[in-house]
Amino acid sequence: MKLLQLPPAELRRQLAGAGVWLRTGPFSLRVRSRIPAVAEGLTELYGQFEVRNAHEAFADFHVAVEPPASLRRWVRPQVEFSFDGMKPFRPLPRDQAFPMLEWGLNWCVSTQAHQFLIIHAAVVEKNGRAAILPAPPGSGKSTLTAGLVLSGWRLLSDELALIDRKTGLIQPLPRPVSLKNRSIDVIRAFAPDVYINRASHDTVKGTVAHMRPPRDSVRRQHEAARPGWVIFPEWKSGAPPTLTPRSRAQTFMFLAQNAFNYSHLGEDGFRVGTALIDQVDCFDFHYGELPGAIAVFDALADAGRPA
Amino acid sequence: MLPGRDLLVRTLRTPESISAFSMGDWDILVRQARAAGLLARLYHRFREHGFAAAIPDAVRWHLEAAETLANKQAVAVRWELRQIRAALGGLGAPLVALKGAAYVAADLSPAVGRLFNDIDILVPRASLPKVESALMLAGWHAAGLTDYDKRYYRRWMHEIPPLQHIERGTVIDVHHAILPDTARYHPDSAKLLDRAVAVAGMPGVYVLAPEDRILHSATHLFHDGELPHGLRDLTDLDLLLRDAAADANFWPRLAARAEELELGRPLFYALRYVRRFLDTPVPDAALAAAAASAPGHATLALMDAVFSRVLAPDHPSCADRLTRGARLAAYVRAHWLRMPPHLLLPHLFHKAFLSPAQRPPKPA
């Protein structure tokens, strides 16, 4: 059963009680929250995801977003995230309840799921090959990711590249795409029909909103992809879209530093990382506007593996 | 009462029971084991007994990921011990690894699947100032404590404030004794250091003698007020006892050493609760001998009520309506044993009202 088939009252009842069980990519979640914005966010953004009766099933991550037990709830209401009773973050203003759930889920995956080498990067796929887009915040990574997945590329993840240690393939985790500040308007202008939820203001990342993941990406969320490229995007006003090859060795070092658990995996982290880098082409990519950038990516995907 | 309150403990005792588990049982088991820091050890137990095939696919990665982390931590702990040894190289003082660090350094049974928060070491009290300045030069410094806490450590505790490495973030607890000076019992640290055993392959690093390791682990467990990993520490004791018991003279030696070090009471509790929780094969005679140090009937009944709750994983599925009270009782009791009342009451007052605990969450 899909989440959108749950009547809203039933969803709210489950969220306030035992929790709603849902699956995203390789992970199952049980989410509890009495906060209306969380129910709303789930309905708007997770409608295509599978839900089950929480009483029967095993869940990987038991998470909650609830008001902290303090008097502040009457003054400036706050929310806090918990992972089965553990509270890794300070409480945030109540307006940020839904982004907090998203950040908390990223935290759960990146601190627990060591069956993957987990790199801080977006991943999109076309014609069977995946492009890994690692980049610091502000580089236009999310904007480019959103633009690509609205133009025929499949969304694997907007934050966490999960490299399966056994197969070397990339495991999809197609959750909502986080858009910040100006990129919210850029994507609204680029694709007026796309669904972006209500923005939360004044977060640590500025204004944040989430874009609904494409239905096809969610439907294919168990279909792993072969790594094809590592591309470092950088947005520059007015820059023509330009791909510049970069060194594999340097790229490997960057990925290792930007992996959440490279050092946890010890020798195997090195093995998985080098096996990955051996089968990809590495580029720096400058772009100034989305349509041109997407055309370059499409050409890359259509050309097959460039020499 | 929730079903499965003691699921993790039962599974540690009888790992074969997993073949009949529902997915709901697995859900509770993984959560309890994560809260207790025992996921990796549990996985090892399943494999050791040949039950790994009974683990459902959806569950397996949690156990494997914990094992990955435990293996990485074992490598990191050995490496950190070498760094500590190098930092203390010129001082000529012995460096004794305690608890988890000792199990890993000496490759003892509890090393397998052990997860760490910090590294505990013991040095002679006379060397403490030199040790601390040498560690500071090598990058370890006291971090994240209030001035009150720092003064409290310096004045009353058997260890200095935890030292955190400025780059790696690793934390060392440097002890000069295994109980505070103000405690009811005064095990002589010199006696422990005298019998410390050199670690093969790590020159200058020592671990406590087999009986002393067990007595220290028991003392730490039954005198420490906060027991987020009480069950993990109890399984350490279970494994140490099972290994040591291979030697026929072990049990009388343990009893004699406990008497010599004034640690009969913690040994009594350790033997009582490892047998009760984990079916450790403690001979009746050994338990009877330790019972000479047992408290009175009323106290013991109260201790049973407290420890049956605080030694359970700190997870909602293990709690009943008395758990919160039991944890508070254990906290106050541990402080009571460490400090005479004229020091304890002002301290608890300060902790309760002047510096409400703002400890960062400790992942298992």
Side-chain angles (χ1 to χ4, degrees):
Chain A
M1 174 175 186
K2 287 181 175 180
L3 190 140
L4 58 81
Q5 294 167 297
L6 269 185
E10 173 61 15
L11 177 69
R12 281 199 301 276
R13 197 189 62 77
Q14 288 189 14
L15 279 170
V20 62
W21 186 102
L22 81 130
R23 170 170 291 289
T24 73
F27 306 113
S28 50
L29 316 173
R30 203 163 98 188
V31 185
R32 286 187 301 116
S33 182
R34 283 163 293 171
I35 295 173
V38 171
E40 201 178 286
L42 288 173
T43 310
E44 291 164 346
L45 301 169
Y46 282 84
Q48 296 296 327
F49 289 81
E50 180 199 351
V51 291
R52 281 191 213 163
N53 183 339
H55 288 290
E56 288 170 16
F58 176 89
D60 291 319
F61 303 126
H62 294 252
V63 300
V65 177
E66 298 284 20
S70 83
L71 292 175
R72 280 201 56 170
R73 67 170 59 185
W74 306 111
V75 193
R76 281 165 51 201
Q78 290 188 313
V79 287
E80 67 184 347
F81 173 84
S82 61
F83 166 41
D84 206 16
M86 261 186 274
K87 289 169 186 165
F89 310 114
R90 287 174 191 284
L92 290 177
R94 193 169 170 138
D95 176 50
Q96 301 178 24
F98 189 76
M100 192 173 211
L101 173 64
E102 290 292 325
W103 296 331
L105 292 176
N106 288 343
W107 180 86
C108 287
V109 172
S110 59
T111 58
Q112 305 293 325
H114 304 308
Q115 71 273 42
F116 301 109
L117 172 63
I118 308 172
I119 299 168
H120 190 191
V123 189
V124 294
E125 176 265 343
K126 193 169 182 181
N127 298 344
R129 293 177 77 205
I132 299 169
L133 313 175
S139 55
K141 174 193 71 172
S142 303
T143 322
L144 181 60
T145 304
L148 286 166
V149 304
L150 292 168
S151 311
W153 287 68
R154 173 161 74 108
L155 174 69
L156 271 71
S157 176
D158 84 320
E159 291 277 1
L160 302 170
L162 305 178
I163 322 291
D164 189 310
R165 288 167 60 191
K166 290 186 181 133
T167 62
L169 299 177
I170 304 180
Q171 175 69 48
L173 182 61
R175 304 217 322 266
V177 178
S178 152
L179 297 171
K180 284 152 232 139
N181 304 318
R182 281 196 48 217
S183 66
I184 301 171
D185 292 331
V186 171
I187 295 302
R188 283 216 167 99
F190 178 76
D193 293 341
V194 70
Y195 185 83
I196 298 175
N197 78 343
R198 187 170 58 84
S200 297
H201 301 283
D202 302 317
T203 78
V204 286
K205 304 180 183 192
T207 297
V208 172
H210 285 86
M211 181 186 102
R212 184 185 291 160
R215 182 185 294 218
D216 182 62
S217 303
V218 177
R219 190 177 57 77
R220 293 170 63 195
Q221 64 173 329
H222 301 299
E223 202 178 302
R226 193 161 57 86
W229 309 272
V230 176
I231 302 174
F232 292 71
E234 195 182 338
W235 180 83
K236 265 192 189 161
S237 178
T242 320
L243 277 173
T244 321
R246 56 179 281 150
S247 122
R248 283 209 174 101
Q250 261 181 14
T251 304
F252 173 79
M253 292 309 292
F254 184 94
L255 293 184
Q257 280 164 13
N258 285 272
F260 289 100
N261 61 349
Y262 177 74
S263 73
H264 284 14
L265 307 188
E267 239 177 277
D268 203 49
F270 182 79
R271 183 188 64 78
V272 177
T274 48
L276 170 77
I277 215 76
D278 281 344
Q279 54 177 320
V280 294
D281 295 303
C282 304
F283 296 101
D284 284 314
F285 180 58
H286 291 271
Y287 76 101
E289 38 90 41
L290 278 177
I294 291 160
V296 169
F297 268 71
D298 284 344
L300 212 51
D302 292 340
R305 191 186 167 106
Chain B
M1 190 175 93
L2 289 161
R5 246 180 64 199
D6 60 346
L7 187 64
L8 174 58
V9 171
R10 273 192 286 129
T11 311
L12 285 166
R13 276 200 305 253
T14 53
E16 64 275 17
S17 60
I18 62 171
S19 55
F21 271 17
S22 68
M23 287 312 282
D25 292 331
W26 281 106
D27 188 74
I28 297 287
L29 181 70
V30 167
R31 296 164 69 192
Q32 289 184 356
R34 178 177 285 122
L38 281 171
L39 270 174
R41 184 162 286 170
L42 191 64
Y43 189 35
H44 177 72
R45 202 162 189 87
F46 292 152
R47 286 194 306 180
E48 187 185 41
H49 290 82
F51 300 126
I55 305 167
D57 287 341
V59 176
R60 186 178 302 272
W61 75 260
H62 290 272
L63 300 164
E64 285 178 353
E67 184 182 52
T68 298
L69 194 58
N71 290 344
K72 183 259 176 174
Q73 287 193 335
V75 171
V77 163
R78 279 193 206 97
W79 191 80
E80 285 291 338
L81 274 176
R82 290 205 176 86
Q83 301 304 306
I84 297 168
R85 178 69 263 168
L88 304 182
L91 301 183
L95 163 63
V96 180
L98 297 174
K99 296 184 63 202
Y103 310 149
V104 166
D107 208 8
L108 304 172
S109 293
V112 177
R114 183 66 153 69
L115 294 171
F116 288 81
N117 301 314
D118 47 27
I119 294 179
D120 295 281
I121 62 170
L122 175 69
V123 298
R125 175 173 254 175
S127 324
L128 200 57
K130 284 186 298 175
V131 165
E132 192 177 355
S133 44
L135 289 173
M136 281 181 77
L137 277 177
W140 280 281
H141 63 120
L145 288 181
T146 63
D147 287 344
Y148 176 84
D149 285 333
K150 283 183 191 160
R151 277 201 309 279
Y152 171 76
Y153 267 102
R154 299 279 172 193
R155 181 75 181 83
W156 306 116
M157 293 300 288
H158 52 302
E159 54 189 310
I160 60 174
L163 301 177
Q164 185 165 36
H165 195 273
I166 197 158
E167 284 162 4
R168 301 192 294 276
T170 48
V171 176
I172 320 179
D173 277 341
V174 183
H175 304 246
H176 55 75
I178 64 172
L179 279 175
D181 298 341
T182 49
R184 300 288 188 280
Y185 317 110
H186 300 94
D188 183 349
S189 302
K191 288 181 179 165
L192 297 171
L193 291 169
D194 279 348
R195 287 185 48 190
V197 185
V199 172
M202 275 195 193
V205 177
Y206 296 79
V207 296
L208 295 177
E211 296 82 29
D212 294 0
R213 273 171 221 153
I214 289 165
L215 292 169
H216 174 241
S217 179
T219 305
H220 185 84
L221 183 54
F222 294 103
H223 281 260
D224 200 333
E226 293 171 75
L227 296 157
H229 300 120
L231 186 61
R232 179 197 67 188
D233 293 358
L234 199 69
T235 64
D236 285 349
L237 269 170
D238 168 68
L239 294 166
L240 290 172
L241 286 165
R242 283 174 196 265
D243 279 0
D247 179 341
N249 289 322
F250 165 71
W251 294 104
R253 261 202 334 259
L254 180 64
R257 187 67 171 166
E259 192 173 339
E260 190 183 350
L261 292 171
E262 302 180 39
L263 296 174
R265 182 66 65 87
L267 177 63
F268 165 73
Y269 285 133
L271 299 184
R272 180 178 183 83
Y273 297 118
V274 284
R275 208 158 98 148
R276 176 170 296 189
F277 275 79
L278 299 168
D279 284 345
T280 314
V282 178
D284 289 336
L287 197 58
S293 305
H297 285 296
T299 307
L300 186 55
L302 180 63
M303 285 303 152
D304 283 349
V306 168
F307 282 117
S308 66
R309 293 180 173 85
V310 299
L311 290 174
D314 189 3
H315 188 267
S317 67
C318 300
D320 66 10
R321 66 201 164 78
L322 296 179
T323 295
R324 195 188 275 256
R327 288 202 187 272
L328 180 66
Y331 179 80
V332 172
R333 170 185 170 273
H335 281 76
W336 176 257
L337 293 172
R338 281 183 197 176
M339 291 179 133
H342 70 278
L343 297 175
L344 175 62
L345 293 175
H347 174 64
L348 291 179
F349 181 86
H350 194 107
K351 292 312 274 184
F353 298 108
L354 301 176
S355 59
Q358 294 210 328
R359 303 180 51 170
K362 263 191 178 180

